[in-house]
Every structure is written in structure tokens, then in C-alpha cells.
Amino acid sequence: MRNKKSEGPAGIKGLVRPNVLALTPYDAKEIPCLVKLDANESPYARPVGPGILKAVKTNRYPDPLAIDVRRAFAKRMLPARTGMDWVLHGNGSDELIYNLICTFGGPVVYPTPTFSMYGKIAQALGVKSAGVPLAGDFEIDDAGMLRALAGGKTGIAFISRPNNPTGNSFSEEKILRIIGRAQGIVVVDEAYQPFSGKKSFLRHLGRHKNLAVLMTLSKVGFAALRVGFLAARPELIAEVNKVRLPFNVNSYSQAAAADALRNFGRLEGGIRKVVSERKRVFEALSRMKGVTPYPSDANFILFRVPLDPAKVYRLALKEGVLLRNLSPAVDGCLRVTIGTRKENSAFIESMKKMTSGGQAVKKSGTSGEKRVRK
Ligand code: PMP
């Protein structure tokens, strides 16, 4: 028998930890569209090698240590004299962010605006967090980050490089200064590094015991797998590994990810195409009256519009193009993911219609979509 008295939203809410009560869920709903440019995915689906998925034994648990895939990551990505004990696997890098905060606690410090999950996961875990505003040119405030961290001897700084959603790569020198002076852990999140032409922080791991680097397969053609990696010195990896749930990456994803890493060269053509299309989209946006695109090292471009961003979002969607409205987190701005040439042309055409005067939309300062998730 169900006890009616204990049911109902009010009753349940009274039982929820206050930090969770105040959270807004990640809204995973699919918005129908013709051209999906909202989630920083790759426009190119890459087939997994023949027979790879067939060989998966569905009756057995996945390899809890994901040895094959960690070894493939270490071989492909890590500097010499390291190995798979410098790598941890996650169900996407999201899960590794969760594991890191679970392991090291707070304060969790990050520049703003940035990827929203650093703050959301900190809140879910009941850990204090602080956003340190970026300077006007979107450069990181290293002194501000250090001040925010200095309150305690612990804590984690999350630094997305290139940064989502601004697209720029923060100064390497400033990040190294934070790593050198911080008492706690500094995580450089390189989800978009493959598009940047800038060297990875992986080469600094040997010298800094408080440095960790996050990477993911999600942006280079394998978002469906949910596979991310944490790279750091083995003593850091061993601690984070204690909070990782067993069997966190399923066998299909492990097999496909190992195959992708062993054949990473096959992904490079797609990365190059995205980078060259990024230039074309940037130039097209620059030519539109009142539109300001911001230079990007990632697979997306942040751009400011002279109209109400919520209306730009709606009008683009009417044309079948799904964007991300970043207002008010980044006031007056939207973000477009770089797609195929055809998809990008559809986006450019929809923007041209709006900015060439045909669709004069008054800027109203309405809130629009608030989430900055993907
Ligand atoms: N870090 C950054 C900066 C991101 O933008 C994202 C996803 N958009 C992630 C991490 C999470 O990636 P994953 O799919 O590996 O969980």
C-alpha cells in the first residue's frame, strides 16, 4: 500500500538537500530542426571499424579499468615516459569533472562565462564555487583566480582552453602562473584543443603535480559514445579513481573509443574541415551589419547581434537552424557550432535575412535561454 500522505511534490521537496533543491536540471530535450548547430558536436559521424562492436560480449560487465582504451589514449596523446596509469576514463568528461570535485572538494573556481557544469556539479555536491569574471578581451584574470583560490589550502580551478562559450584560448603563461601558485588542483579542460592549433597542456604534466588535463572524444565525432579522459600524474589519478563508479564506461563505448584512438588520423580530415569552415563563417558574420563575431580556436563561434538574441534564436529556428542563445549569461550573444559547408551556408543565409533589414527586431533585453551547458 502506498502512503498517500507522504506523496506529492511538497513532501518530497522537504526531503531534498537545499543545494539540490536550488539546482536547475540540464534540459536534454531535443528541439526539432534541420540544421543542428547548438551543441558543439562534430558534423561528421565516423564509422567504427568492422567487427569491433560485434566482438563485444554483452553478457559480461565492461572492463572496469578500461585497459585497452586507456592504453590507446596514452599511446596516442601522452608524452614519452608516461603510461596508462596517467589516465582515467570517464562517461564523458562531465563524469570526470564530477569525480574531481568529489575527490578534492572546494572551493571550485572558474572564469565566467564558461562551461556551466563546473558550477552545477559543485552545487550538486554541496561544494562552494566562485566565478571570476573574464577581462574585456575574454582573457583570464589570473590574479583574480588566485585570490578566489587562496581562501583555503585546497580547491580546484577549472580552466576551459579554448573556453566555451567565448572560443578563445587563455594565455598559457597566465595559466602556468595559476598552476605554479595555486595550493589546490588546476584542471585545464581541453575539450576543444584539437581545433586550436595550440599545444596541449599534456606536456606540462611531468613538472606539475597539481595539474590535470581533461579531454573528450565528444567534439571530434564520437559524442554518442560518452567517453572522456583525465590525464595527470599517477598519484592524482589514483585518488580520483577511488570515487569512480565501477564499470562507468560501457563495453561498446570502450571498444569504439579504443578503435577511434588507434585510428585518430582518420578524424583529422574532419577537424581540418571544421577549422577552415570556421574561417568562412567568421568572415561572413563579420560582413553582417552590426554583428560581431569573436575569434575562436574551437568548433564554434560566439557572436554578438544588434537584435534581441532570443528573437534571433527563434527566427533562425524558423528557418530550421538551431543555435544556442547565451543571453543573458553572455549578454547580446549567441553561439553557433561549425557544421558542414551546407549547414553553415544555411546558417549564414538565415542570419543575412535577419540583419539585412528585412527583419528589424528591436533589442528588448528579455532573458531568452539561460543554460550554457554544451
Ligand atoms: N568541457 C567543456 C568545456 C565542454 O564544453 C563540454 C561539453 N560541451 C564538456 C567538457 C563535456 O564533454 P563530454 O561530452 O566529454 O562530457
Side-chain angles (χ1 to χ4, degrees):
M1 281 292 285
R2 284 155 73 186
N3 177 359
K4 281 238 154 100
K5 272 189 187 154
S6 65
E7 284 182 2
I12 292 297
K13 283 193 170 167
L15 301 172
V16 177
R17 289 155 63 220
N19 51 307
V20 175
L21 209 53
L23 264 175
T24 45
Y26 170 55
D27 186 353
K29 99 175 159 258
E30 288 285 326
I31 300 170
C33 62
L34 297 171
V35 179
K36 189 173 182 318
L37 301 178
D38 67 324
N40 299 345
E41 296 145 331
S42 166
Y44 307 110
R46 293 295 171 200
V48 178
I52 299 278
L53 299 181
K54 254 194 180 160
V56 168
K57 292 196 176 81
T58 55
N59 59 320
R60 301 292 177 201
Y61 280 110
D63 173 4
L65 299 176
I67 287 179
D68 206 24
V69 67
R70 282 165 63 220
R71 201 172 270 153
F73 179 88
K75 192 163 176 211
R76 169 77 210 185
M77 304 287 180
L78 291 187
R81 289 190 297 280
T82 59
M84 57 176 283
D85 52 341
W86 291 60
V87 188
L88 197 62
H89 53 294
N91 199 293
S93 41
D94 278 354
E95 187 184 53
L96 293 161
I97 297 167
Y98 201 100
N99 291 343
L100 279 160
I101 301 176
C102 199
T103 304
F104 295 106
V108 168
V109 174
Y110 42 83
T112 52
T114 194
F115 182 44
S116 67
M117 291 309 286
Y118 310 137
K120 271 194 187 297
I121 294 172
Q123 193 178 336
L125 289 170
V127 164
K128 277 203 182 116
S129 65
V132 179
L134 293 174
D137 55 357
F138 294 149
E139 187 49 80
I140 196 165
D141 173 2
D142 50 337
M145 292 284 291
L146 283 166
R147 269 197 304 279
L149 281 167
K153 294 215 180 315
T154 58
I156 318 180
F158 282 96
I159 302 173
S160 165
R161 184 181 194 262
N163 186 41
N164 179 11
T166 55
N168 59 316
S169 300
F170 302 136
S171 139
E172 178 165 6
E173 206 186 321
K174 283 178 192 262
I175 297 174
L176 286 173
R177 187 166 167 259
I178 297 170
I179 297 167
R181 302 206 178 168
Q183 308 252 20
I185 306 296
V186 179
V187 179
V188 180
D189 182 342
E190 295 194 341
Y192 302 100
Q193 186 274 341
F195 306 96
S196 77
K198 304 243 158 56
K199 281 191 183 158
S200 164
F201 266 68
L202 288 173
R203 71 193 199 287
H204 295 306
L205 287 180
R207 252 167 298 136
H208 299 282
K209 59 178 193 288
N210 63 336
L211 169 64
V213 177
L214 275 175
M215 290 194 157
T216 180
L217 291 181
S218 296
K219 311 299 170 187
V220 290
F222 292 98
L225 300 185
R226 307 300 299 126
V227 175
F229 298 97
L230 177 72
R233 295 178 63 91
E235 52 278 27
L236 190 155
I237 293 291
E239 293 306 318
V240 181
N241 188 41
K242 291 181 188 168
V243 303
R244 181 181 60 80
L245 294 180
F247 318 119
N248 57 324
V249 176
N250 73 70
S251 303
Y252 287 107
S253 290
Q254 288 195 30
D259 183 58
L261 286 162
R262 282 194 204 104
N263 299 289
F264 204 80
R266 286 190 206 148
L267 307 181
E268 279 163 358
I271 295 171
R272 273 197 300 276
K273 275 196 232 166
V274 165
V275 170
S276 95
E277 275 295 294
R278 181 178 73 202
K279 185 164 179 279
R280 189 172 76 91
V281 174
F282 184 89
E283 285 166 0
L285 285 169
S286 308
R287 284 194 293 271
M288 290 174 201
K289 202 163 172 245
V291 176
T292 311
Y294 293 97
S296 172
D297 278 345
N299 65 344
F300 57 82
I301 295 176
L302 179 77
F303 60 102
R304 187 170 295 281
V305 287
L307 321 167
D308 175 1
K311 287 187 181 163
V312 172
Y313 171 88
R314 280 198 296 274
L315 289 172
L317 195 52
K318 257 194 188 163
E319 306 273 324
V321 180
L322 182 61
L323 301 173
R324 182 144 300 230
N325 176 15
L326 293 178
S327 227
V330 195
D331 200 30
C333 288
L334 296 102
R335 193 192 66 194
V336 60
T337 302
I338 304 301
T340 60
R341 188 172 177 85
K342 204 170 153 200
E343 289 172 334
N344 300 331
S345 295
F347 160 67
I348 292 168
E349 286 314 308
S350 75
M351 284 299 298
K352 273 188 190 159
K353 272 193 200 165
M354 279 181 247
T355 53
S356 62
Q359 291 275 11
V361 188
K362 228 179 98 215
K363 189 169 180 189
S364 70
T366 47
S367 66
E369 195 183 346
K370 291 190 184 179
R371 294 176 299 277
V372 189
R373 160 62 180 76
K374 282 178 173 173

